[in-house]
Amino acid sequence: MARMIPDTFDQHNNTSPGEEEVFHTLKKSSKIDHWIVLHSLDIPEHLRQRKGEADFIILAPDLGIIVIEVKADKDISIGKNGRWKYKSKEEDSGPFKQVNGNMESIRKVIIEKYKDAFKRKIPF
C-alpha cells in the first residue's frame, strides 16, 4: 500500500470519478509499498499560469517522480480549432500540456529548494 497524502479521498472537494478510482487503486496496491503519493496538490508557483493543481505526484524511490493528470470523461475529442473537448467543457491546453506544465513547475521548485539533495539527476 502506498502512503497517500492526504490519507483519504475527499469526495466533497473532488468530483472526479477518475481521480477517485486512481486514488483507491494506488492506495490498495501491494506492489508500491514504498511509494509516497500526493493527491490534489496545489502549485502556487506555476510556470504557465497563476496557479495550478496536480492530480497526483508520485515519489517512487529508485524510479523518480511521476506527475499524473487524470481525465475521466467518456467523450474526449480535439476540435478543428485544436481545443480539447470534454463532455462538460473545452480547454486550450489539453491533458499533455497541463501535466507538462505541472511537472516542470514542481521540478523547478524541488531543484531550487533542495539543490544539494538533488545533485544526481532525478527522472520526472
Side-chain angles (χ1 to χ4, degrees):
M1 204 164 80
R3 179 175 171 213
M4 306 297 289
I5 302 172
D7 190 73
T8 58
F9 187 87
D10 186 351
Q11 294 177 345
H12 299 293
N13 288 338
N14 195 311
T15 57
S16 170
E19 282 185 45
E20 184 173 13
E21 184 177 341
V22 171
F23 182 94
H24 292 297
T25 299
L26 290 169
K27 187 171 182 171
K28 289 188 300 188
S29 178
S30 62
K31 297 180 181 183
I32 57 173
D33 285 343
H34 57 293
W35 289 12
I36 297 171
V37 179
L38 307 171
H39 174 247
S40 194
L41 182 74
D42 286 331
I43 307 169
E45 298 176 36
H46 202 281
L47 296 174
R48 297 187 184 148
Q49 53 198 39
R50 209 171 101 223
K51 68 176 195 162
E53 183 259 344
D55 293 342
F56 293 94
I57 300 169
I58 300 173
L59 309 174
D62 300 323
L63 293 175
I65 298 173
I66 304 160
V67 182
I68 299 174
E69 176 63 30
V70 177
K71 299 295 184 196
D73 205 317
K74 291 181 181 181
D75 186 20
I76 299 174
S77 63
I78 301 175
K80 291 180 182 177
N81 58 1
R83 292 176 56 94
W84 285 75
K85 293 182 179 184
Y86 304 95
K87 184 178 180 182
S88 59
K89 63 181 177 177
E90 280 191 25
E91 293 179 356
D92 287 324
S93 64
F96 300 109
K97 286 184 181 177
Q98 187 177 359
V99 77
N100 184 269
N102 290 342
M103 180 197 68
E104 291 299 332
S105 299
I106 292 163
R107 185 175 179 274
K108 182 177 185 259
V109 169
I110 288 173
I111 289 171
E112 284 178 0
K113 291 190 178 185
Y114 303 101
K115 288 178 199 165
D116 294 334
F118 290 99
K119 287 185 180 174
R120 66 183 179 98
K121 300 220 181 231
I122 295 177
F124 275 78

